[in-house]
Amino acid sequence: MSIHNKNKELIKNFRNALYNFDINLLKKEVTNLFTDDALIQLCYPFETLANPNALIEQAYLPLSKAFVGLERRDTIVMAGSSINDSGWVGCCGYYTGSFEKPWLGIPPTGHQVSMRFHEFYRIKNNKVLEVQAIWDIPEVMMQANVWPLSPSLGKEWHVPGPATQDGLITRPYNNEQAAQSLKLVGDMCEHLGFYAEGGIKAMKLEHFWHPHCSWYGPSTIGTARGVKGFRNWHQIPFLNALPNRVGDASKGYLFADENYVGFTAWPGMSMTISNDGWLGIAPANQQITMRSLDFWRAENNLIRENWVLIDMLDVYNQIGVDVLARMKELTKARYLNFAP
Protein backbone atom coordinates (compact mmCIF):
# COMPACT_ATOMS: atom_id res chain seq x y z
CA MET A 1 0.00 0.00 0.00
CA SER A 2 1.36 3.43 -0.94
CA ILE A 3 2.03 6.06 1.69
CA HIS A 4 -0.85 8.12 0.30
CA ASN A 5 -3.36 5.30 0.70
CA LYS A 6 -2.02 4.69 4.21
CA ASN A 7 -2.52 8.36 5.08
CA LYS A 8 -6.12 8.28 3.84
CA GLU A 9 -6.72 5.16 5.89
CA LEU A 10 -5.08 6.81 8.89
CA ILE A 11 -7.77 9.51 9.20
CA LYS A 12 -10.68 7.16 8.47
CA ASN A 13 -11.60 6.57 12.12
CA PHE A 14 -11.40 10.31 12.80
CA ARG A 15 -13.83 10.92 9.95
CA ASN A 16 -16.12 8.13 11.18
CA ALA A 17 -16.21 9.66 14.68
CA LEU A 18 -17.63 12.78 13.04
CA TYR A 19 -19.99 10.89 10.72
CA ASN A 20 -21.74 9.31 13.73
CA PHE A 21 -20.79 12.11 16.09
CA ASP A 22 -19.33 10.49 19.19
CA ILE A 23 -17.49 12.90 21.47
CA ASN A 24 -15.62 10.18 23.38
CA LEU A 25 -14.49 8.43 20.22
CA LEU A 26 -13.54 11.78 18.69
CA LYS A 27 -11.36 12.64 21.69
CA LYS A 28 -9.67 9.25 21.45
CA GLU A 29 -9.00 9.61 17.73
CA VAL A 30 -7.64 13.15 18.06
CA THR A 31 -5.31 12.02 20.84
CA ASN A 32 -4.06 9.09 18.76
CA LEU A 33 -3.88 10.90 15.43
CA PHE A 34 -2.51 14.40 16.13
CA THR A 35 0.86 15.35 17.54
CA ASP A 36 0.60 17.32 20.79
CA ASP A 37 1.94 20.45 19.07
CA ALA A 38 0.06 20.06 15.79
CA LEU A 39 -0.64 23.37 14.04
CA ILE A 40 -4.46 23.71 13.91
CA GLN A 41 -5.53 26.52 11.56
CA LEU A 42 -9.25 27.10 11.13
CA CYS A 43 -11.16 29.86 9.41
CA TYR A 44 -12.29 33.08 11.06
CA PRO A 45 -13.46 33.47 13.84
CA PHE A 46 -11.71 30.35 15.19
CA GLU A 47 -8.24 31.09 13.79
CA THR A 48 -5.15 29.20 15.00
CA LEU A 49 -6.02 26.98 17.97
CA ALA A 50 -3.70 26.26 20.86
CA ASN A 51 -3.67 22.48 20.49
CA PRO A 52 -5.62 19.55 18.99
CA ASN A 53 -7.88 19.35 22.05
CA ALA A 54 -9.05 22.90 21.31
CA LEU A 55 -10.27 21.62 17.95
CA ILE A 56 -12.82 19.58 19.88
CA GLU A 57 -13.67 22.02 22.65
CA GLN A 58 -13.82 25.23 20.61
CA ALA A 59 -14.97 23.98 17.20
CA TYR A 60 -16.63 20.57 17.08
CA LEU A 61 -18.38 20.50 20.46
CA PRO A 62 -20.21 23.85 20.02
CA LEU A 63 -21.11 22.83 16.47
CA SER A 64 -22.54 19.52 17.68
CA LYS A 65 -24.70 21.30 20.26
CA ALA A 66 -26.15 23.60 17.59
CA PHE A 67 -26.41 21.04 14.77
CA VAL A 68 -28.24 18.32 16.68
CA GLY A 69 -27.31 14.92 15.28
CA LEU A 70 -24.13 16.37 13.77
CA GLU A 71 -22.97 14.35 10.79
CA ARG A 72 -19.91 14.75 8.59
CA ARG A 73 -20.30 13.73 4.93
CA ASP A 74 -17.16 13.55 2.82
CA THR A 75 -17.50 13.77 -0.95
CA ILE A 76 -13.75 13.88 -1.75
CA VAL A 77 -10.91 12.21 0.15
CA MET A 78 -7.61 12.34 -1.74
CA ALA A 79 -3.91 12.35 -0.88
CA GLY A 80 -0.54 13.16 -2.41
CA SER A 81 2.90 14.68 -2.01
CA SER A 82 3.77 18.35 -2.36
CA ILE A 83 6.70 20.70 -1.82
CA ASN A 84 9.12 20.30 1.09
CA ASP A 85 8.54 16.52 1.05
CA SER A 86 5.13 17.05 2.62
CA GLY A 87 2.33 14.49 2.51
CA TRP A 88 -1.26 15.70 2.53
CA VAL A 89 -4.79 14.33 2.75
CA GLY A 90 -7.51 16.62 1.39
CA CYS A 91 -11.17 16.24 2.38
CA CYS A 92 -14.16 18.01 0.84
CA GLY A 93 -17.74 17.68 1.99
CA TYR A 94 -20.25 19.18 4.39
CA TYR A 95 -21.48 19.03 7.96
CA THR A 96 -25.19 18.59 8.52
CA GLY A 97 -27.71 18.19 11.31
CA SER A 98 -30.86 19.76 12.70
CA PHE A 99 -30.09 23.42 13.42
CA GLU A 100 -31.76 23.74 16.83
CA LYS A 101 -29.54 26.11 18.85
CA PRO A 102 -27.69 29.34 17.98
CA TRP A 103 -24.18 29.00 16.64
CA LEU A 104 -21.75 31.94 16.35
CA GLY A 105 -24.80 34.14 16.84
CA ILE A 106 -26.61 32.60 13.86
CA PRO A 107 -30.22 31.89 14.89
CA PRO A 108 -31.43 28.29 14.59
CA THR A 109 -33.91 27.31 11.89
CA GLY A 110 -35.25 24.08 13.36
CA HIS A 111 -34.54 22.46 10.00
CA GLN A 112 -31.72 20.41 8.53
CA VAL A 113 -28.75 22.59 7.68
CA SER A 114 -25.59 22.03 5.65
CA MET A 115 -22.19 23.70 5.82
CA ARG A 116 -19.44 22.98 3.31
CA PHE A 117 -15.91 22.25 4.48
CA HIS A 118 -12.49 21.91 2.89
CA GLU A 119 -9.99 20.37 5.31
CA PHE A 120 -6.36 19.50 4.64
CA TYR A 121 -4.17 17.37 6.91
CA ARG A 122 -0.36 17.26 6.67
CA ILE A 123 0.84 13.86 7.82
CA LYS A 124 4.27 12.49 8.66
CA ASN A 125 5.18 9.24 10.41
CA ASN A 126 1.50 8.36 10.91
CA LYS A 127 0.73 11.60 12.74
CA VAL A 128 -1.12 14.79 11.75
CA LEU A 129 1.29 17.72 12.07
CA GLU A 130 -0.89 20.45 10.59
CA VAL A 131 -4.49 21.23 9.69
CA GLN A 132 -5.74 23.94 7.32
CA ALA A 133 -9.54 24.12 7.22
CA ILE A 134 -12.27 26.44 5.98
CA TRP A 135 -15.94 26.03 6.90
CA ASP A 136 -18.45 27.94 4.77
CA ILE A 137 -20.04 29.81 7.68
CA PRO A 138 -21.76 32.35 5.37
CA GLU A 139 -23.66 29.39 3.89
CA VAL A 140 -25.28 28.83 7.29
CA MET A 141 -26.25 32.51 7.50
CA MET A 142 -28.03 32.18 4.16
CA GLN A 143 -30.04 29.20 5.36
CA ALA A 144 -31.01 31.14 8.50
CA ASN A 145 -32.17 34.11 6.36
CA VAL A 146 -29.81 36.56 8.06
CA TRP A 147 -27.64 37.54 5.11
CA PRO A 148 -25.64 40.68 6.00
CA LEU A 149 -23.60 41.04 2.79
CA SER A 150 -24.09 41.98 -0.85
CA PRO A 151 -25.97 39.52 -3.10
CA SER A 152 -23.89 36.79 -4.70
CA LEU A 153 -23.35 37.07 -8.45
CA GLY A 154 -23.26 33.30 -8.90
CA LYS A 155 -25.85 30.66 -8.02
CA GLU A 156 -26.25 29.84 -4.33
CA TRP A 157 -27.41 26.26 -3.75
CA HIS A 158 -26.40 23.00 -2.10
CA VAL A 159 -23.11 22.40 -3.90
CA PRO A 160 -22.89 18.78 -5.10
CA GLY A 161 -20.09 16.28 -4.83
CA PRO A 162 -18.30 15.01 -7.96
CA ALA A 163 -20.55 14.25 -10.92
CA THR A 164 -18.70 10.96 -11.36
CA GLN A 165 -19.25 9.93 -7.71
CA ASP A 166 -15.64 8.76 -7.39
CA GLY A 167 -14.19 11.30 -4.97
CA LEU A 168 -13.57 8.85 -2.10
CA ILE A 169 -10.39 7.39 -3.59
CA THR A 170 -9.39 4.02 -2.17
CA ARG A 171 -7.81 2.44 -5.24
CA PRO A 172 -4.02 1.90 -5.39
CA TYR A 173 -2.21 5.17 -5.96
CA ASN A 174 -1.71 5.85 -9.68
CA ASN A 175 1.46 7.90 -10.09
CA GLU A 176 1.04 8.42 -13.84
CA GLN A 177 -2.54 9.65 -13.62
CA ALA A 178 -1.75 11.88 -10.64
CA ALA A 179 1.17 13.45 -12.51
CA GLN A 180 -1.05 14.18 -15.52
CA SER A 181 -3.74 15.82 -13.34
CA LEU A 182 -1.12 17.82 -11.46
CA LYS A 183 0.40 19.12 -14.70
CA LEU A 184 -3.02 20.17 -16.04
CA VAL A 185 -3.91 22.20 -12.97
CA GLY A 186 -0.37 23.52 -12.52
CA ASP A 187 -0.25 24.74 -16.12
CA MET A 188 -3.70 26.32 -15.76
CA CYS A 189 -2.64 28.20 -12.61
CA GLU A 190 0.54 29.36 -14.31
CA HIS A 191 -1.42 30.77 -17.25
CA LEU A 192 -3.74 32.66 -14.88
CA GLY A 193 -0.66 34.66 -13.94
CA PHE A 194 -0.16 35.73 -17.57
CA TYR A 195 -3.17 38.07 -17.34
CA ALA A 196 -1.06 41.08 -16.35
CA GLU A 197 1.04 40.77 -19.49
CA GLY A 198 -1.39 39.54 -22.12
CA GLY A 199 -4.92 39.94 -20.80
CA ILE A 200 -7.65 37.31 -20.94
CA LYS A 201 -6.32 35.67 -24.11
CA ALA A 202 -3.00 34.90 -22.44
CA MET A 203 -4.80 32.87 -19.77
CA LYS A 204 -6.08 30.36 -22.38
CA LEU A 205 -9.04 29.30 -20.25
CA GLU A 206 -10.62 27.21 -23.01
CA HIS A 207 -7.37 25.24 -23.31
CA PHE A 208 -7.67 23.95 -19.73
CA TRP A 209 -11.38 24.03 -18.84
CA HIS A 210 -14.11 21.71 -20.12
CA PRO A 211 -16.94 23.48 -22.02
CA HIS A 212 -19.39 22.23 -19.37
CA CYS A 213 -17.19 22.95 -16.36
CA SER A 214 -18.66 23.93 -13.00
CA TRP A 215 -16.88 26.31 -10.61
CA TYR A 216 -18.32 25.91 -7.12
CA GLY A 217 -17.32 29.07 -5.27
CA PRO A 218 -17.89 29.97 -1.62
CA SER A 219 -21.11 31.54 -0.42
CA THR A 220 -20.83 35.28 -1.19
CA ILE A 221 -19.71 34.37 -4.74
CA GLY A 222 -21.68 31.23 -5.64
CA THR A 223 -21.48 28.71 -8.48
CA ALA A 224 -20.60 29.54 -12.08
CA ARG A 225 -21.26 27.30 -15.09
CA GLY A 226 -18.86 27.13 -18.03
CA VAL A 227 -15.97 29.46 -18.84
CA LYS A 228 -18.44 32.27 -19.60
CA GLY A 229 -20.09 31.91 -16.20
CA PHE A 230 -16.73 31.67 -14.44
CA ARG A 231 -15.57 34.91 -16.05
CA ASN A 232 -18.82 36.81 -15.49
CA TRP A 233 -19.64 35.78 -11.93
CA HIS A 234 -16.14 35.53 -10.47
CA GLN A 235 -13.08 36.31 -12.57
CA ILE A 236 -13.98 39.69 -14.09
CA PRO A 237 -15.08 41.31 -10.78
CA PHE A 238 -12.10 39.73 -9.00
CA LEU A 239 -9.48 40.91 -11.51
CA ASN A 240 -11.04 44.35 -11.87
CA ALA A 241 -10.98 45.03 -8.14
CA LEU A 242 -7.71 43.26 -7.29
CA PRO A 243 -5.42 43.83 -10.28
CA ASN A 244 -2.18 43.43 -8.30
CA ARG A 245 -2.98 40.05 -6.77
CA VAL A 246 0.14 37.96 -6.17
CA GLY A 247 0.33 34.26 -5.36
CA ASP A 248 3.06 32.96 -3.08
CA ALA A 249 4.09 29.50 -4.29
CA SER A 250 6.22 28.94 -1.18
CA LYS A 251 3.09 29.02 0.99
CA GLY A 252 0.95 26.76 -1.17
CA TYR A 253 0.75 22.99 -1.45
CA LEU A 254 -0.48 21.43 -4.70
CA PHE A 255 -0.91 17.65 -4.90
CA ALA A 256 -2.83 15.08 -6.93
CA ASP A 257 -4.55 11.71 -6.59
CA GLU A 258 -5.86 10.07 -9.77
CA ASN A 259 -7.97 12.73 -11.53
CA TYR A 260 -8.25 14.99 -8.48
CA VAL A 261 -5.97 17.85 -7.49
CA GLY A 262 -5.94 19.68 -4.16
CA PHE A 263 -4.45 23.00 -3.14
CA THR A 264 -4.04 24.49 0.30
CA ALA A 265 -2.34 27.65 1.53
CA TRP A 266 -2.52 29.77 4.68
CA PRO A 267 -2.60 32.33 3.13
CA GLY A 268 -1.84 31.81 -0.55
CA MET A 269 -2.37 35.26 -2.05
CA SER A 270 -1.87 38.94 -1.22
CA MET A 271 -3.49 41.89 -2.96
CA THR A 272 -4.87 45.42 -2.66
CA ILE A 273 -8.55 46.29 -3.15
CA SER A 274 -7.82 49.18 -5.45
CA ASN A 275 -10.85 49.21 -7.76
CA ASP A 276 -14.59 48.64 -7.48
CA GLY A 277 -16.59 45.57 -8.43
CA TRP A 278 -15.79 42.76 -5.98
CA LEU A 279 -18.46 41.88 -3.40
CA GLY A 280 -19.50 45.52 -3.12
CA ILE A 281 -16.37 46.32 -1.09
CA ALA A 282 -15.26 49.94 -1.33
CA PRO A 283 -11.90 50.37 -3.15
CA ALA A 284 -9.99 52.09 -0.36
CA ASN A 285 -6.64 50.48 -1.19
CA GLN A 286 -7.00 47.97 1.62
CA GLN A 287 -4.18 45.42 1.62
CA ILE A 288 -5.37 41.88 2.32
CA THR A 289 -4.24 38.28 2.18
CA MET A 290 -6.48 35.41 1.14
CA ARG A 291 -6.87 31.84 2.34
CA SER A 292 -8.17 29.66 -0.50
CA LEU A 293 -8.51 25.87 -0.32
CA ASP A 294 -9.38 24.20 -3.64
CA PHE A 295 -10.18 20.88 -5.31
CA TRP A 296 -10.24 20.19 -9.06
CA ARG A 297 -11.53 17.16 -10.98
CA ALA A 298 -10.01 16.45 -14.38
CA GLU A 299 -11.82 14.63 -17.16
CA ASN A 300 -10.14 13.77 -20.47
CA ASN A 301 -7.31 16.13 -19.48
CA LEU A 302 -9.66 19.09 -18.99
CA ILE A 303 -10.93 20.58 -15.73
CA ARG A 304 -14.58 19.58 -15.38
CA GLU A 305 -15.29 20.60 -11.77
CA ASN A 306 -13.61 22.96 -9.29
CA TRP A 307 -14.60 23.33 -5.62
CA VAL A 308 -13.33 26.56 -4.04
CA LEU A 309 -13.61 27.81 -0.49
CA ILE A 310 -12.21 31.19 0.53
CA ASP A 311 -12.16 32.37 4.13
CA MET A 312 -14.47 35.27 3.33
CA LEU A 313 -15.04 36.26 6.96
CA ASP A 314 -11.28 36.67 7.32
CA VAL A 315 -11.21 38.94 4.24
CA TYR A 316 -13.89 41.18 5.74
CA ASN A 317 -12.17 41.13 9.12
CA GLN A 318 -8.97 42.45 7.53
CA ILE A 319 -10.80 45.49 6.18
CA GLY A 320 -12.53 46.19 9.49
CA VAL A 321 -15.98 44.74 8.74
CA ASP A 322 -17.33 42.46 11.48
CA VAL A 323 -19.74 40.31 9.47
CA LEU A 324 -20.93 38.34 12.50
CA ALA A 325 -21.73 41.55 14.40
CA ARG A 326 -23.67 42.94 11.43
CA MET A 327 -25.53 39.65 11.14
CA LYS A 328 -26.49 39.87 14.83
CA GLU A 329 -27.92 43.35 14.24
CA LEU A 330 -30.17 41.86 11.57
CA THR A 331 -31.39 39.12 13.90
CA LYS A 332 -32.12 41.63 16.68
CA ALA A 333 -35.28 42.73 14.92
CA ARG A 334 -36.73 39.24 15.29
CA TYR A 335 -36.78 39.59 19.06
CA LEU A 336 -37.60 43.30 19.61
CA ASN A 337 -41.05 44.28 20.79
CA PHE A 338 -42.26 47.10 18.51
CA ALA A 339 -45.62 47.49 20.23
CA PRO A 340 -46.34 51.12 21.28
Side-chain angles (χ1 to χ4, degrees):
M1 181 183 292
S2 74
I3 184 63
H4 305 311
N5 286 73
K6 288 180 181 178
N7 286 343
K8 284 180 284 189
E9 187 68 22
L10 189 69
I11 69 166
K12 185 176 181 180
N13 289 339
F14 170 74
R15 292 171 42 233
N16 285 340
L18 287 165
Y19 172 63
N20 293 303
F21 186 79
D22 184 324
I23 187 63
N24 294 322
L25 182 57
L26 182 61
K27 289 180 178 179
K28 175 184 175 182
E29 291 304 325
V30 167
T31 299
N32 292 336
L33 182 59
F34 293 72
T35 61
D36 293 339
D37 60 349
L39 180 59
I40 313 297
Q41 300 172 114
L42 299 190
C43 57
Y44 184 89
F46 302 101
E47 295 299 316
T48 300
L49 302 181
N51 52 55
N53 185 60
L55 178 63
I56 299 173
E57 298 298 327
Q58 297 178 32
Y60 282 120
L61 193 56
L63 184 66
S64 71
K65 291 179 179 179
F67 291 12
V68 175
L70 179 63
E71 181 179 311
R72 173 191 176 112
R73 297 185 183 178
D74 290 88
T75 56
I76 298 173
V77 177
M78 55 164 293
S81 298
S82 191
I83 60 173
N84 302 324
D85 296 321
S86 58
W88 290 86
V89 175
C91 300
C92 170
Y94 60 95
Y95 292 102
T96 189
S98 179
F99 193 7
E100 297 183 14
K101 295 181 180 180
W103 182 64
L104 300 178
I106 306 173
T109 64
H111 296 288
Q112 184 162 2
V113 66
S114 64
M115 178 177 67
R116 291 170 66 194
F117 68 80
H118 288 183
E119 298 177 357
F120 289 80
Y121 303 85
R122 182 165 65 91
I123 299 175
K124 186 176 182 180
N125 297 328
N126 297 321
K127 290 286 187 177
V128 173
L129 307 179
E130 181 179 356
V131 177
Q132 298 181 7
I134 294 177
W135 295 355
D136 197 353
I137 297 170
E139 180 181 24
V140 182
M141 296 180 191
M142 282 190 173
Q143 292 167 78
N145 293 318
V146 286
W147 188 240
L149 301 171
S150 59
S152 303
L153 295 180
K155 171 67 176 178
E156 294 289 358
W157 61 327
H158 182 65
V159 169
T164 45
Q165 301 292 303
D166 60 355
L168 305 179
I169 305 173
T170 58
R171 295 169 293 278
Y173 191 80
N174 187 323
N175 287 284
E176 183 178 350
Q177 188 176 13
Q180 183 181 38
S181 300
L182 192 66
K183 185 179 187 307
L184 170 66
V185 173
D187 288 349
M188 182 275 298
C189 291
E190 181 181 8
H191 277 74
L192 289 179
F194 294 164
Y195 175 81
E197 300 174 0
I200 187 63
K201 290 184 179 180
M203 302 171 84
K204 297 184 178 179
L205 295 179
E206 289 80 3
H207 182 75
F208 300 106
W209 294 83
H210 192 282
H212 298 156
C213 63
S214 291
W215 186 87
Y216 308 116
S219 295
T220 65
I221 298 176
T223 288
R225 176 71 169 179
V227 171
K228 179 181 178 180
F230 170 69
R231 293 214 67 238
N232 284 334
W233 313 135
H234 171 59
Q235 190 182 51
I236 290 174
F238 187 77
L239 294 177
N240 283 347
L242 312 164
N244 71 334
R245 80 205 192 290
V246 177
D248 188 343
S250 66
K251 295 182 179 179
Y253 298 90
L254 193 70
F255 61 97
D257 193 349
E258 293 192 355
N259 54 327
Y260 288 85
V261 178
F263 174 79
T264 183
W266 209 265
M269 299 182 72
S270 60
M271 59 210 74
T272 303
I273 308 176
S274 55
N275 293 308
D276 200 0
W278 189 56
L279 306 177
I281 297 175
N285 291 316
Q286 309 99 319
Q287 293 184 355
I288 62 171
T289 59
M290 190 172 292
R291 305 161 177 169
S292 177
L293 309 184
D294 301 357
F295 293 89
W296 294 265
R297 184 179 69 82
E299 185 176 298
N300 297 322
N301 209 32
L302 291 171
I303 298 169
R304 186 73 184 251
E305 295 180 284
N306 181 196
W307 295 261
V308 178
L309 279 185
I310 300 170
D311 191 351
M312 300 305 303
L313 297 188
D314 175 61
V315 170
Y316 278 97
N317 182 58
Q318 291 178 67
I319 63 173
V321 177
D322 189 336
V323 174
L324 292 174
R326 178 167 172 75
M327 180 269 302
K328 289 177 184 177
E329 291 299 313
L330 289 173
T331 65
K332 184 189 298 183
R334 298 185 181 186
Y335 308 109
L336 291 176
N337 183 358
F338 289 101

